[in-house]
Amino acid sequence: MAEELGVSLRTVYRDIETLKAQGAHIEGEAGLGYVLRPGFMLPPLMFSEEEIEALVLGSRWVSERADGLLGKAARNVLAKIGAVLPDDLKSGIDASGLLIGPGQQIAARDGELAAIRAAIRSERKMQVGYADEQGNATDRTIWPIALAFYDRVRVLVAWCELRAGYRHFRIDRIATLECGTERYPRRRATLLKEWYAFQGVPEQ
């Protein structure tokens, strides 16, 4: 589980103890394994006013600046959160004064973005036809690990087998895209951590 989530064993053990303190019927012990008995429900979510504003602002940005499928998902998330909040906090979702300003229109390419996200989640290789800034076209096999949404462009972060290194691919310069069935040989969490170090930036 720790390897799958990209966290330490200590973090997993701490979170299990937190769940047990909240009433989860978890049996077992560290080093041997755990079993969660059926019937446990997490307590209702509760947010501060600032947390609600952060959720609204972030969801509005995703709704306006990400692709259509993610935008719909963001709106659904807000609706689900609003359905379980008490009335005094629920009004903060609709009445929030935090707005997203208009940005440059980006070509939708919703199908490609959905396929890329699926490949990232399943840790599968992709074959892309890509043209660089000078228009030079290459066919590449890549290991997609992250998708970055900027105001004007969307960028895919991947390990490129052709260049034997990490590369950034602008989505609008990908001419062809095919998601394969072969998993890439290393875990995405490990690759992402390596990419952060390669970029010289702290992990998110």
Side-chain angles (χ1 to χ4, degrees), residues 25 35-40:
H25 189 191
V35 175
L36 173 62
R37 298 302 179 188
F40 174 65

Coordinates of all heavy atoms in Angstrom, one line a residue, residues 25 35-40:
H25 N -13.5 -0.3 12.5 CA -13.2 -1.6 13.1 C -12.1 -2.3 12.2 O -12.4 -3.1 11.3 CB -14.5 -2.4 13.0 CG -14.3 -3.7 13.8 ND1 -15.3 -4.7 13.8 CD2 -13.4 -4.2 14.7 CE1 -14.9 -5.7 14.5 NE2 -13.7 -5.4 15.1
V35 N -7.2 -5.8 8.5 CA -8.5 -6.1 7.9 C -9.5 -5.1 8.4 O -9.6 -4.9 9.6 CB -8.9 -7.5 8.3 CG1 -10.4 -7.8 7.7 CG2 -8.0 -8.6 7.8
L36 N -10.2 -4.4 7.4 CA -11.2 -3.5 7.8 C -12.6 -4.2 7.7 O -13.0 -4.7 6.6 CB -11.2 -2.3 6.8 CG -12.4 -1.3 6.9 CD1 -12.4 -0.6 8.3 CD2 -12.3 -0.3 5.8
R37 N -13.3 -4.3 8.8 CA -14.6 -5.0 8.8 C -15.6 -4.1 8.2 O -15.5 -2.8 8.2 CB -15.0 -5.3 10.3 CG -14.0 -6.2 11.0 CD -13.9 -7.6 10.3 NE -13.0 -8.5 10.9 CZ -12.6 -9.6 10.4 NH1 -13.0 -10.0 9.2 NH2 -11.8 -10.4 11.1
P38 N -16.6 -4.7 7.5 CA -17.6 -3.8 6.8 C -18.5 -3.0 7.8 O -18.5 -3.3 9.0 CB -18.5 -4.9 6.1 CG -18.3 -6.2 6.9 CD -16.8 -6.1 7.4
G39 N -19.1 -2.0 7.3 CA -20.0 -1.2 8.1 C -19.5 0.2 8.5 O -20.2 1.0 9.1
F40 N -18.2 0.5 8.3 CA -17.6 1.7 8.8 C -17.9 2.8 7.8 O -17.7 2.7 6.6 CB -16.1 1.6 9.0 CG -15.4 2.9 9.3 CD1 -15.7 3.5 10.5 CD2 -14.5 3.5 8.4 CE1 -15.0 4.7 10.9 CE2 -13.9 4.6 8.8 CZ -14.1 5.2 10.0

